[in-house]
Amino acid sequence: MKKVFALVLSLCLLCAGTALADGAVFGTAATSGTYYQVGAAIGTAVQNAGFAVNVIPTAGSNENVTLVQTMDIDIGMGNSDAIYGAYHGELTYAEAGPQAIEQVAALYYSQMHIYTKTGSGIESVADMKGKKVCVGSQGTSWLFLVNAVLEHYGITLNDITPYYMNYAECSEALANGDIDAAFQVGGYPIAGIQQSAATTPFYFISLPEDVIETMLSKFSYAIGTEIPAGTYENQANTEPAKTLAYMTCLFCGAETDDDLIYEFTKKMIETLPEYQNTNVATRQISLDTIATEFIPLNEGARRAYEEAGLIK
């Protein structure tokens, strides 16, 4: 599967490089996730406004950090934890050191989904000890936060059987009884969860206030939030599930052409009404927060925001 994915990605990048000399290649994540849906909506609007954009699936935040630096893509999507850690050489980048990236935009909050199949007997993270648990896709940026939540309950990856799957694979495995519980992060509703939730009742686990407060004290880029009841079909919860979230951002490599980023950002601002109502995640994109910095802004993006009067 990894070889097939790598081949598809290589072909996408090859096609993008030959066809978009005056445009941008925009890396998102798996097609079953919110990243891809949001990226496709923005890319379509920007392209319709006259700036060529090729939106491609990737393995997500961490791969995008690599791809923008190798110039295989021009713009990548990543959660604020990933880009914060990459820029500062912290968290999952503690060994690799600081990465040469710059922020382009702040889009929407991605929520940590902690869920299981109704009737599994798992009502809390504490009940996951000894269970088969999906902790996200391989190399995902949020594994650091998942580990911290598990450790709060005295659980390490050695105390569970960890599985690494994308959204759709994870939810299908849970529905089939191949795993017992799952952690996934994305802007709700995540398409890959929706697909299985259409036929399988899922229960979304709430984090207690003391756990949320502890996590927020450790991770400055996170916030406390909720996944509303009824977000997913057959969602067993009658009350909102309390959880954590962080901002999904756009970023580029430090060597990416500032003028290219300026043109993309300018069109992204101008076409916001065209893509804002695509889904729940895009409806969170606001001119009031789009220039929020988690790492330093690219100069082209900064110029576009200054011209639009969004920053001084």
Side-chain angles (χ1 to χ4, degrees), residues 42-238:
I42 294 173
T44 298
V46 170
Q47 178 142 313
N48 288 342
F51 184 78
V53 179
N54 188 12
V55 178
I56 65 169
T58 69
S61 298
N62 288 339
E63 183 175 37
N64 291 339
V65 168
T66 299
L67 293 175
V68 296
Q69 293 179 94
T70 58
M71 308 294 283
D72 287 313
I73 63 174
D74 301 298
I75 299 162
M77 293 184 80
N79 287 329
S80 54
D81 67 325
I83 66 170
Y84 178 93
Y87 180 80
H88 292 284
E90 299 176 5
L91 303 175
T92 53
Y93 290 88
E95 292 186 12
Q99 306 294 298
I101 61 171
E102 299 171 341
Q103 189 173 325
V104 175
L107 300 181
Y108 63 91
Y109 277 104
S110 290
Q111 296 79 24
M112 174 177 278
H113 293 60
I114 310 172
Y115 63 112
T116 184
K117 191 159 69 170
T118 303
S120 69
I122 298 174
E123 298 181 355
S124 163
V125 174
D127 299 324
M128 293 183 187
K129 192 168 186 177
K131 303 295 185 179
K132 295 178 287 186
V133 182
C134 176
V135 293
S137 57
Q138 188 68 50
T140 184
S141 66
W142 66 75
L143 185 57
F144 200 91
L145 187 58
V146 171
N147 278 333
V149 171
L150 287 169
E151 287 173 2
H152 185 88
Y153 289 89
I155 301 172
T156 70
L157 292 182
N158 292 327
D159 297 316
I160 62 174
T161 302
Y163 284 74
Y164 300 88
M165 305 174 181
N166 66 30
Y167 303 112
E169 293 168 341
C170 170
S171 297
E172 183 178 357
L174 186 59
N176 292 338
D178 297 327
I179 61 174
D180 302 303
F183 289 86
Q184 292 286 4
V185 175
Y188 64 74
I190 297 174
I193 296 178
Q194 274 185 317
Q195 184 176 344
S196 293
T199 56
T200 304
F202 287 145
Y203 173 76
F204 289 80
I205 296 169
S206 277
L207 292 176
E209 287 299 330
D210 65 311
V211 177
I212 292 176
E213 290 175 5
T214 298
M215 296 302 112
L216 297 186
S217 69
K218 293 181 177 180
F219 307 111
S220 60
Y221 45 77
I223 67 164
T225 189
E226 297 178 342
I227 299 174
T231 296
Y232 294 94
E233 192 173 353
N234 289 312
Q235 183 173 336
N237 306 67
T238 57

